[in-house]
Amino acid sequence: NDLVERIDALLASDKAKGLYIKGPQGVGKSYSLINLTRYLLASDKYWVTIIPDCTNWHDEGRFFNFLLQSVGIVHPHRFRLRYDANIDRYFEKIIHDIDTVLSKHGMKWVFVFDQIDNIFGRPDFQKINDVRKLPF
């Protein structure tokens, strides 16, 4: 209940937001995230994109396609949507546009990442302590 209350307060805020849950293996972090996702979806206030295993997140293009699929765009190429690594703003614009559409329907977009340490565990990312400092 404490986690749900904190999440509700965090999502009600208009400030930049994020929550990082960590702890030893086997204490129920993934289980809690699944239940949290169910709670958020049942409220009809949130569109939830869950990435259950970040080991499959290898590059920006795959993540871009995953985000589009999470909002129902299964074949992005049919819409001529393709991530261009040379245009970082394109990625931000797509996220902004999807978020704007959801906002018009009174919803907030929530991302739930599980096993995110699999990203930081990669040799080239081991010294990064902040998700915002990842190269993608």
Side-chain angles (χ1 to χ4, degrees):
N1 287 337
D2 183 48
L3 180 60
V4 168
E5 289 172 11
R6 285 182 175 211
I7 295 293
D8 277 338
L10 186 70
L11 295 175
S13 168
D14 287 331
K15 297 178 183 178
K17 43 200 155 285
L19 178 66
Y20 183 75
I21 301 169
K22 70 180 208 171
Q25 185 176 359
V27 297
K29 298 177 300 294
S30 295
Y31 180 78
S32 295
L33 287 176
I34 290 168
N35 285 325
L36 174 65
T37 300
R38 287 180 178 154
Y39 167 80
L40 294 173
L41 289 169
S43 74
D44 287 332
K45 296 187 294 186
Y46 306 105
W47 185 273
V48 181
T49 295
I50 185 164
I51 300 175
D53 185 355
C54 291
T55 56
N56 296 323
W57 181 9
H58 295 289
D59 60 37
E60 301 94 326
R62 288 178 107 181
F63 183 63
F64 178 77
N65 286 335
F66 181 83
L67 285 182
L68 293 176
Q69 290 170 6
S70 78
V71 293
I73 302 173
V74 180
H75 302 288
H77 63 279
R78 289 185 184 165
F79 294 95
R80 295 190 179 116
L81 298 173
R82 185 179 65 81
Y83 178 70
D84 185 343
N86 297 318
I87 308 172
D88 289 334
R89 290 187 179 184
Y90 184 73
F91 190 67
E92 292 174 15
K93 182 177 178 349
I94 290 289
I95 290 175
H96 177 267
D97 290 348
I98 293 170
D99 194 46
T100 300
V101 169
L102 291 171
S103 294
K104 287 181 182 178
H105 293 281
M107 299 180 83
K108 286 192 175 189
W109 198 2
V110 176
F111 295 88
V112 176
F113 299 92
D114 196 6
Q115 306 298 327
I116 199 163
D117 284 341
N118 290 320
I119 293 174
F120 292 107
R122 296 181 194 165
D124 46 339
F125 299 153
Q126 284 183 354
K127 295 185 191 235
I128 298 174
N129 295 324
D130 185 343
V131 173
R132 293 169 294 186
K133 293 182 181 175
L134 286 168
F136 51 86

